[in-house]
Amino acid sequence: MAEFSELTQEQLCYFSRQFSNMFGLPVRLYREQACVYTYLPVQLAEDPIQLCRQVILERTESIGYFVYHDQFYYGFVRHRAYQFVTGPVSELPLSEHELKKLGISLHLTAEQLPLFAAEMRLLSGMHLDSLLQALILYNFTVNRTMYDISDLRIQRAEQQRIATELKTEDYFSASDDGQYERHMRSYSIEQDMIQKVKRGDVDGLVDGATKIPAVSSGNLAPQLLRHQKNFFIRLETILSRAAIEAGVNPDEVLSAEEKYVSKCESFVDIDRIKNLQYHMILDYADRVQKLQQYHGDCSRLVRRVTQYIRSHISEPIRTADIAAYCGKSRGGLTTEFKKQTGMDLSEFIRRKKIQEAEQLLETDRSLSDIGVLLGFSSQSHFTRVFKEIHGMTPTEFRKRYQK
């Protein structure tokens, strides 16, 4: 096969610009480390790449990525004397404080920092694997060489090093005679919690609360605080998947998972992590219990209705829209739903919204904000419906249950 011909600088600039338009990322093109083209989808007072440009340009791989301070990724592709560089891109949204710190590193003035942070937030967020796929596409276009993500992420030398370290440090040793028994006891307790979450057995979890600290968490980190956080994340993952298997909407569970892990990571006190862990366990069981309390084993129709309501909880929900989602006529849906649950669909919707309100009333959100978030026409409408169901106003509920 004939060698793929070198692209002109004009062609490389053209494709780099199209790459930026497609993925919403800044791009630059260097020739022998001198910048010959820059295209930014946002107006930045300074280009953040100047903080790590030299390190990236000195990389010798034909395609790869660079991580800047555990915050951003930069990707690069070489073509003869040229080097294409894209980024910064982050998987996670960065706070305004972090972005302003970045601006300070770029020697921006105090007046420039707010606009710089706002423009940085406009850049596309992207998972590292998605960035690598985009780089693989760029590389194939300009170099005609084929890569897979594993070629870029999996390093054979590092795999061998890990295998050697694990063997040397004897992580899998069973020298402790009591270790097997402790692990089996912990596994049994974990399985008991999983089954109770799947059943929505809140009372059973409360009764067995003394067992939760007895779970042997193994050795998940050399520092105790990091160890407790890692154990929390492991347990959260197990129980959140149990809630999904029990029928709770995956979007709802994954959203809760993000909040719990983020909250755990923000704590620097082990007691707070333990209390958050207990709250998390009961919360997932409570979500399953609420899902099942009106319809037992939860028929497919009721599951579909519940899923629609949870996905549109912040909107005014119309029976006709649910019927269309379930592929039924409006009359057919309401009749079948009443037959299966013994409850009017409109009442079921109201109760689901009020259940969500109960959670929001545990926060410091105002009643007007909660009413808007749940799609009520006004605060007075929200208050009226809440009182009809609970026999007390939202304010009275909040005072009673915050004591």
Side-chain angles (χ1 to χ4, degrees):
M1 179 182 293
E3 185 178 0
F4 186 63
S5 61
E6 181 175 354
L7 272 66
T8 66
Q9 182 170 303
E10 181 182 9
Q11 290 172 324
L12 290 171
C13 291
Y14 169 80
F15 188 58
S16 297
R17 184 171 67 254
Q18 299 307 317
F19 181 99
S20 177
N21 290 333
M22 179 179 294
F23 297 107
L25 300 177
V27 298
R28 307 103 183 144
L29 190 65
Y30 297 88
R31 180 179 173 84
E32 297 177 349
Q33 299 199 6
C35 187
V36 296
Y37 181 72
T38 299
Y39 188 82
L40 306 178
V42 294
Q43 299 296 319
L44 295 174
E46 291 289 346
D47 188 344
I49 199 175
Q50 65 179 274
L51 298 173
C52 53
R53 177 181 55 213
Q54 197 57 39
V55 176
I56 295 174
L57 294 179
E58 289 174 356
R59 297 284 290 268
T60 59
E61 306 97 308
S62 59
I63 177 174
Y65 66 97
F66 172 77
V67 184
Y68 175 75
H69 285 195
D70 294 327
Q71 291 181 319
F72 298 112
Y73 301 119
Y74 288 90
F76 60 88
V77 175
R78 288 190 172 278
H79 176 73
R80 308 295 194 271
Y82 292 93
Q83 187 171 6
F84 164 82
V85 180
T86 185
V89 60
S90 178
E91 295 181 30
L92 302 175
L94 296 178
S95 69
E96 184 169 353
H97 175 68
E98 291 172 315
L99 293 173
K100 286 183 176 179
K101 283 177 61 179
L102 180 68
I104 292 171
S105 300
L106 292 166
H107 306 292
L108 299 183
T109 66
E111 292 76 19
Q112 291 175 309
L113 291 177
L115 181 59
F116 174 79
E119 292 291 322
M120 284 291 294
R121 283 198 295 270
L122 294 176
L123 291 177
S124 298
M126 185 181 291
H127 191 278
L128 176 58
D129 285 351
S130 298
L131 175 63
L132 295 182
Q133 289 284 16
L135 292 174
I136 288 169
L137 174 64
Y138 187 101
N139 174 75
F140 182 74
T141 303
V142 301
N143 292 324
R144 287 295 189 270
T145 53
M146 295 182 289
Y147 288 92
D148 289 321
I149 285 181
S150 59
D151 298 322
L152 308 183
R153 292 291 299 274
I154 309 301
Q155 303 172 11
R156 292 183 180 178
E158 183 63 20
Q159 290 295 311
Q160 292 176 346
R161 185 179 301 112
I162 291 171
T164 300
E165 289 175 355
L166 290 175
K167 184 176 181 180
T168 302
E169 296 169 18
D170 204 13
Y171 280 118
F172 304 106
S173 171
S175 57
D176 184 347
D177 293 337
Q179 182 173 327
Y180 176 79
E181 288 77 9
R182 289 197 301 272
H183 285 177
M184 289 305 298
R185 171 175 167 74
S186 299
Y187 176 76
S188 176
I189 294 172
E190 280 187 7
Q191 290 300 306
D192 179 61
M193 282 193 288
I194 289 170
Q195 294 306 316
K196 286 176 178 174
V197 167
K198 285 184 176 181
R199 295 195 303 268
D201 186 4
V202 177
D203 292 338
L205 287 167
V206 172
D207 291 340
T210 54
K211 289 184 177 181
I212 295 176
V215 177
S216 172
S217 49
N219 183 11
L220 303 178
Q223 296 82 28
L224 185 57
L225 180 62
R226 184 67 258 169
H227 164 83
Q228 293 295 344
K229 289 182 177 182
N230 289 348
F231 178 71
F232 177 95
I233 293 169
R234 186 184 78 178
L235 187 61
E236 200 285 337
T237 301
I238 292 171
L239 298 184
S240 65
R241 296 320 181 260
I244 291 175
E245 289 178 18
V248 180
N249 187 295
D251 289 339
E252 175 189 346
V253 173
L254 295 177
S255 177
E257 180 178 62
E258 290 179 1
K259 292 177 182 177
Y260 275 122
V261 172
S262 177
K263 177 66 71 175
C264 174
E265 289 291 352
S266 71
F267 287 164
V268 293
D269 184 285
I270 290 175
D271 284 339
R272 296 199 72 189
I273 294 173
K274 288 295 186 182
N275 277 274
L276 181 66
Q277 176 179 298
Y278 181 68
H279 182 91
M280 175 266 295
I281 294 169
L282 298 187
D283 179 29
Y284 281 128
D286 184 60
R287 291 170 189 263
V288 175
Q289 185 184 71
K290 287 178 177 177
L291 181 70
Q292 296 175 346
Q293 65 184 1
Y294 294 119
H295 40 82
D297 292 333
C298 210
S299 72
R300 184 176 184 276
L301 174 66
V302 179
R303 286 179 185 271
R304 295 274 290 170
V305 169
T306 303
Q307 182 177 8
Y308 183 90
I309 294 171
R310 290 189 181 278
S311 299
H312 297 79
I313 198 74
S314 62
E315 308 166 13
I317 299 175
R318 301 188 311 161
T319 303
D321 294 332
I322 301 178
Y325 176 76
C326 295
K328 295 183 176 293
S329 67
R330 187 178 185 280
L333 172 66
T334 55
T335 299
E336 188 173 347
F337 189 88
K338 178 69 177 285
K339 181 179 179 181
Q340 291 190 21
T341 66
M343 180 183 297
D344 289 332
L345 179 56
S346 59
E347 179 64 13
F348 185 78
I349 295 170
R350 288 180 358 131
R351 289 185 175 275
K352 285 297 180 185
K353 283 183 176 284
I354 296 306
Q355 286 175 3
E356 189 71 18
E358 293 169 15
Q359 302 293 325
L360 293 171
L361 286 168
E362 295 179 5
T363 71
D364 58 0
R365 288 185 179 274
S366 68
L367 298 187
S368 59
D369 284 348
I370 294 175
V372 170
L373 285 170
L374 296 177
F376 288 96
S377 58
S378 64
Q379 181 180 330
S380 60
H381 181 209
F382 165 55
T383 300
R384 185 174 69 254
V385 173
F386 193 96
K387 188 171 183 179
E388 288 173 359
I389 291 176
H390 276 297
M392 68 181 78
T393 67
T395 301
E396 292 168 339
F397 180 92
R398 173 174 270 171
K399 288 179 180 178
R400 175 176 297 185
Y401 289 96
Q402 282 186 342
K403 290 181 180 180

